[in-house]
Amino acid sequence: MKGVKLAYLLAVVNAVVIGMSFLVVKKSLDYASPFDTLTFRFAAAFAILSIMAASGLFKLNYRGKPLYKLLMLSSMYPLGFFTLQTYGLQYTTSAEGGIINALSPLATMVLASVFLKEATSRPQKLSLILSVSGVAFIFIMKGNGIGFSNMKGVLLLLLACAALAGYSVLARSVSKSFSPVEISYFMVGTGFAASLVFSLAFHISDGTLSRLTAPLASMTFMMLILCLGAVQVATALMGNYILSRIEASRMGVFINLSTVVSIAAGAGVLGEPVAWYHFIGSALIVAGVIGMNLRIRKEGLAL
């Protein structure tokens, strides 16, 4: 039960860290394109994990273990998710992206029930829908041109949700063979290698290779990337630990909690306006997260 309680605590912390990281991402995009920023972010995260491993803070042991499972996991997240999301957002609005991304907990619940045989009660299903509705309500009320007119972008974003849900489900199985650190190191390394290849290929074909390295001359950008790398390491470690302790369906709903954090952070740090619908939507999200995980108290008493 100590491991389960720690997993729930880390799930909240993970949502807070992800929500706060949106501010850093916004700042970093002033210096580099989204995909280049992602490449540097993975590079920083991989460097941090490599230094930690070299200094003996943790041990890695992949010998005799099913590496194909890690390849499958990495192909879903971060490779599949970030690639599909990046290209999907080119054809849709940020509001559409936010609403579709909120559907990933629903997709996780469906896949978890099919492949992991995770059972969810009717109140839990309603709580999950309540949380998703809270995110959708906020983005709809913001009125950022929601129409889902470009089906290509919508399809790519839906596939990104499916990739994230697939990762959440598969990670439950992979965690039986690998430690959270081994999973995180492999995922981050794969993400860095793939994003670097994509960035180099794009800039070489476009004749803009100098743009890839130009942001590195800014100390501010370097600090932002170092911060994003640390966030990537922290969220990867926490996410893989959480999925090794609690059900994928319960973990998934915490993703929506990061929306509440990002709204609060945007208002407190960037001075972004907060309207009445932010409060209502946030209340729905929080209520859904709590309702989805209320059963843990009964399980604790039973154990």
Side-chain angles (χ1 to χ4, degrees), residues 197-209:
V197 169
F198 287 142
S199 290
L200 287 174
F202 172 79
H203 286 290
I204 291 174
S205 63
D206 209 34
T208 57
L209 191 59

Side-chain angles (χ1 to χ4, degrees), residues 21-64:
S21 69
F22 292 154
L23 299 178
V24 186
V25 172
K26 285 183 179 180
K27 293 291 185 181
S28 64
L29 292 178
D30 294 336
Y31 299 87
S33 66
F35 217 100
D36 289 347
T37 300
L38 185 63
T39 299
F40 289 123
R41 177 177 181 171
F42 277 125
F46 188 65
I48 292 172
L49 282 173
S50 297
I51 293 173
M52 293 172 65
S55 61
L57 291 178
F58 56 79
K59 294 182 179 180
L60 301 172
N61 181 21
Y62 297 104
R63 184 176 300 177

Side-chain angles (χ1 to χ4, degrees), residues 1 3-5 7-12 14-15 104-113 116-125 127-128 131 165 168-169 172 239 242-258 285-303:
M1 281 304 297
V4 174
K5 290 179 180 179
Y8 274 95
L9 175 62
L10 290 179
V12 176
N14 190 48
S104 58
L106 286 174
T108 300
M109 182 181 68
V110 173
L111 291 180
S113 65
L116 300 179
K117 307 304 179 183
E118 291 183 3
T120 51
S121 63
R122 182 175 297 178
Q124 284 181 306
K125 291 183 176 68
S127 296
L128 185 55
S131 178
S168 300
V169 172
R172 292 280 293 169
I242 295 164
L243 286 169
S244 70
R245 292 294 186 273
I246 64 176
E247 293 94 331
S249 56
R250 294 188 182 186
M251 165 60 179
V253 74
F254 281 95
I255 295 174
N256 291 341
L257 197 60
S258 61
I285 294 171
V286 173
V289 172
I290 294 174
M292 184 67 184
N293 293 279
L294 273 180
R295 201 177 63 177
I296 187 64
R297 185 172 182 84
K298 296 180 179 179
E299 290 176 351
L301 290 174
L303 286 173

Side-chain angles (χ1 to χ4, degrees), residues 30-294:
D30 294 336
Y31 299 87
S33 66
F35 217 100
D36 289 347
T37 300
L38 185 63
T39 299
F40 289 123
R41 177 177 181 171
F42 277 125
F46 188 65
I48 292 172
L49 282 173
S50 297
I51 293 173
M52 293 172 65
S55 61
L57 291 178
F58 56 79
K59 294 182 179 180
L60 301 172
N61 181 21
Y62 297 104
R63 184 176 300 177
K65 295 182 178 180
L67 292 177
Y68 72 94
K69 289 186 177 182
L70 284 181
L71 286 172
M72 291 175 59
L73 191 68
S74 299
S75 67
M76 295 180 185
Y77 183 90
L79 298 183
F81 174 75
F82 280 118
T83 302
L84 292 166
Q85 186 186 63
T86 299
Y87 284 102
L89 288 173
Q90 290 183 349
Y91 303 102
T92 58
T93 66
S94 59
E96 291 169 344
I99 293 174
I100 295 175
N101 187 62
L103 297 176
S104 58
L106 286 174
T108 300
M109 182 181 68
V110 173
L111 291 180
S113 65
V114 174
F115 294 100
L116 300 179
K117 307 304 179 183
E118 291 183 3
T120 51
S121 63
R122 182 175 297 178
Q124 284 181 306
K125 291 183 176 68
L126 293 176
S127 296
L128 185 55
I129 295 174
L130 187 67
S131 178
V132 173
S133 300
V135 177
F137 179 74
I138 291 173
F139 282 104
I140 290 173
M141 292 305 297
K142 287 174 69 176
N144 292 339
I146 301 173
F148 299 109
S149 57
N150 195 312
M151 292 308 299
K152 181 178 181 180
V154 172
L155 178 60
L156 289 173
L157 290 175
L158 287 174
L159 289 175
C161 282
L164 183 59
Y167 152 75
S168 300
V169 172
L170 184 58
R172 292 280 293 169
S173 173
V174 175
S175 63
K176 297 177 182 179
S177 304
F178 299 90
S179 68
V181 173
E182 290 169 344
I183 297 173
S184 301
Y185 189 79
F186 192 94
M187 286 172 54
V188 171
T190 306
F192 167 55
S195 60
L196 180 61
V197 169
F198 287 142
S199 290
L200 287 174
F202 172 79
H203 286 290
I204 291 174
S205 63
D206 209 34
T208 57
L209 191 59
S210 60
R211 292 184 183 179
L212 177 62
T213 57
L216 298 177
S218 171
M219 183 57 67
T220 302
F221 179 75
M222 293 294 289
M223 295 301 294
L224 290 171
I225 288 300
L226 185 60
C227 181
L228 287 175
V231 167
Q232 189 70 45
V233 170
T235 54
L237 291 173
M238 286 189 290
N240 289 317
Y241 177 83
I242 295 164
L243 286 169
S244 70
R245 292 294 186 273
I246 64 176
E247 293 94 331
S249 56
R250 294 188 182 186
M251 165 60 179
V253 74
F254 281 95
I255 295 174
N256 291 341
L257 197 60
S258 61
T259 302
V260 180
V261 178
S262 65
I263 292 172
V269 179
L270 301 180
E272 295 178 348
V274 178
W276 61 270
Y277 53 81
H278 287 117
F279 291 103
I280 295 178
S282 297
L284 293 175
I285 294 171
V286 173
V289 172
I290 294 174
M292 184 67 184
N293 293 279
L294 273 180

